[in-house]
Amino acid sequence: MEEGHRVQAIASVSLSKETIPLEFIRAENEQPGFTTFKGDVHPQIPIIDFSSTDLDEKKLAESIVDASCKWGIFQIVNHGIPLDVIKRLQKVGIEFFELPQEEKEVYAKPCGSTSIEGYGTRLQKDMGGKKGWVDHLFNKVLPPSAVDHRFWPKNPPEYREATEEYAYHLQQVANKLFESLSIGLGLEKEEIKRAFGGDELVYNLKINYYPPCPCPDLALGVPPHTDMSAFTILVSNNVQGLQVFQDDQWINVNNIPNSLIIHVGDQIEILTNGKCKSVFHRSIVNKEQTRMSWPVFLEPPPDFEVGPYHKFLSEDNCSKYKTKKFGDYCYCKLNKIPQ
């Protein structure tokens, strides 16, 4: 992609003109200015204390299942990842996007690549010719066999160390999430993680960079979607921008500082045959501030088959989803091909 087509570059020009190109202006029924809930009191996503002991393991499991079924999204506090580890991850991400454009382009996703790794702007097939107000950097961070350091920035120099340290701590959180969901659904601790590939589960880090937008009521950072992952674990720079569709309205997610936001993704909805809910969400943008987020998508390996788990099926609850390789699922979704 030409450098001028990066949203970061477009934003620098648009802010001086106080307008944005037509391809970023959404239809009225999508514009945040018209569609965001504006009531005095709006519902808030569940908040779950993750610092459980063996004594309240069951209570934690029940809370996670309840939130996964009713909302498909929740925040966890007391998750155990040191604050300085998160701050270092954020620092190197910010420093990467502050680099001169030509330095960032060194890590651009190669033209024609079937992988999503690298620096980029467009992720999926544009519908109606509209674009999202966001640039991104994708890196697979776990397991070691999936990592391709060609797409890891060498500048800032601390990028690799900070990212690997965060991934190490995040893996502990992910394991506890999968175990709690398994217990809450009446399964053995390791069943759900094993159903997604076990230790071969892929951790795919995406850094989203949403520059200031002069017309935030007209544009979207990322349009409405559900994640292809099993779980997505996200931290942000505390600039509000995530919205979820609940009770037929778009509501803001008020991020608690130092918390992790957990999205239930498509693969958990499929595995549980619809019992758990893949959250429908979008990102809005800000006129004055840059918003950044660091979601990590927990995904089965590309050749791993996922479908409804046999323990969630019965004569009265037949399979609602096809069983297919995760890589095929992603290809269909990114290219808007019916599953």
Side-chain angles (χ1 to χ4, degrees):
M1 175 176 282
E2 296 178 8
E3 292 177 13
H5 290 169
R6 299 299 186 197
V7 175
Q8 194 172 359
I10 292 169
S12 64
V13 175
S14 296
L15 285 169
S16 62
K17 294 181 178 179
E18 295 191 352
T19 185
I20 58 176
L22 185 61
E23 62 264 30
F24 292 98
I25 299 176
R26 296 279 160 174
E28 191 171 293
N29 65 351
E30 289 185 290
Q31 292 175 8
F34 285 105
T35 58
T36 299
F37 177 72
K38 295 180 174 65
D40 293 332
V41 180
H42 62 77
Q44 282 300 307
I45 68 171
I47 300 167
I48 297 174
D49 188 339
F50 216 52
S51 61
S52 68
T53 64
D54 290 341
L55 293 175
D56 50 10
E57 183 182 74
K58 184 178 179 183
K59 183 179 178 182
L60 173 64
E62 289 172 350
S63 297
I64 288 174
V65 169
D66 186 64
S68 298
C69 294
K70 293 179 180 176
W71 281 83
I73 187 172
F74 49 96
Q75 289 188 77
I76 59 175
V77 295
N78 300 320
H79 43 72
I81 302 180
L83 179 58
D84 63 326
V85 171
I86 294 175
K87 293 298 184 186
R88 280 196 291 273
L89 174 83
Q90 294 175 320
K91 179 176 180 288
V92 296
I94 292 167
E95 288 175 352
F96 172 76
F97 278 95
E98 288 177 344
L99 290 173
Q101 191 62 42
E102 61 271 17
E103 285 194 54
K104 294 195 288 283
E105 294 295 338
V106 171
Y107 303 98
K109 184 176 75 169
C111 184
S113 172
T114 56
S115 170
I116 60 173
E117 283 201 85
Y119 171 62
T121 297
R122 178 180 175 271
L123 179 59
Q124 60 184 0
K125 188 175 181 180
D126 295 324
M127 299 304 286
K130 298 301 179 183
K131 297 179 179 179
W133 193 263
V134 62
D135 294 326
H136 64 253
L137 175 68
F138 262 110
N139 290 138
K140 291 179 181 177
V141 297
L142 283 172
S145 59
V147 173
D148 187 346
H149 286 122
R150 290 178 302 165
F151 296 106
W152 288 47
K154 293 181 174 60
N155 190 15
E158 304 84 10
Y159 182 87
R160 179 170 175 175
E161 181 182 352
T163 301
E164 288 178 341
E165 185 179 25
Y166 179 71
Y168 168 79
H169 288 281
L170 193 73
Q171 195 170 32
Q172 320 310 312
V173 174
N175 287 340
K176 189 171 179 178
L177 269 175
F178 283 118
E179 288 177 3
S180 297
L181 186 64
S182 288
I183 292 167
L185 291 171
L187 305 175
E188 296 297 320
K189 271 188 177 184
E190 296 296 325
E191 278 191 80
I192 286 186
K193 182 181 175 183
R194 192 163 56 239
F196 291 129
D199 291 338
E200 295 305 306
L201 192 78
V202 177
Y203 288 59
N204 204 346
L205 167 67
K206 182 187 183 191
I207 307 176
N208 288 311
Y209 185 92
Y210 307 92
C213 176
C215 306
D217 286 344
L218 304 181
L220 288 173
V222 178
H225 67 287
T226 58
D227 292 344
M228 297 180 288
S229 58
F231 278 124
T232 303
I233 305 177
L234 178 148
V235 296
S236 77
N237 65 342
N238 294 321
V239 175
Q240 201 282 323
L242 177 62
Q243 295 187 331
V244 298
F245 196 67
Q246 183 78 359
D247 299 327
D248 296 322
Q249 57 197 8
W250 286 105
I251 64 171
N252 291 318
V253 174
N254 293 329
N255 188 48
I256 299 171
N258 307 326
S259 68
L260 299 176
I261 296 177
I262 312 297
H263 297 182
V264 174
D266 294 348
Q267 303 312 305
I268 283 179
E269 179 173 320
I270 291 168
L271 191 82
T272 61
N273 204 36
K275 181 176 177 66
C276 295
K277 170 186 175 182
S278 184
V279 65
F280 194 51
H281 59 287
R282 69 182 186 183
S283 297
I284 60 173
V285 290
N286 191 288
K287 189 170 185 176
E288 285 83 27
Q289 295 177 286
T290 294
R291 178 173 182 260
M292 293 184 69
S293 65
W294 288 257
V296 176
F297 304 92
L298 310 183
E299 303 172 342
D303 290 332
F304 196 86
E305 286 194 342
V306 178
Y309 195 51
H310 64 93
K311 291 187 179 179
F312 298 116
L313 301 177
S314 66
E315 288 186 11
D316 298 325
N317 188 27
C318 298
S319 177
K320 301 171 185 173
Y321 307 88
K322 294 177 181 177
T323 296
K324 60 172 58 178
K325 291 180 179 178
F326 178 68
D328 294 339
Y329 181 88
C330 292
Y331 179 83
C332 290
K333 184 155 185 174
L334 291 173
N335 290 283
K336 309 296 184 185
I337 299 169
Q339 297 280 3

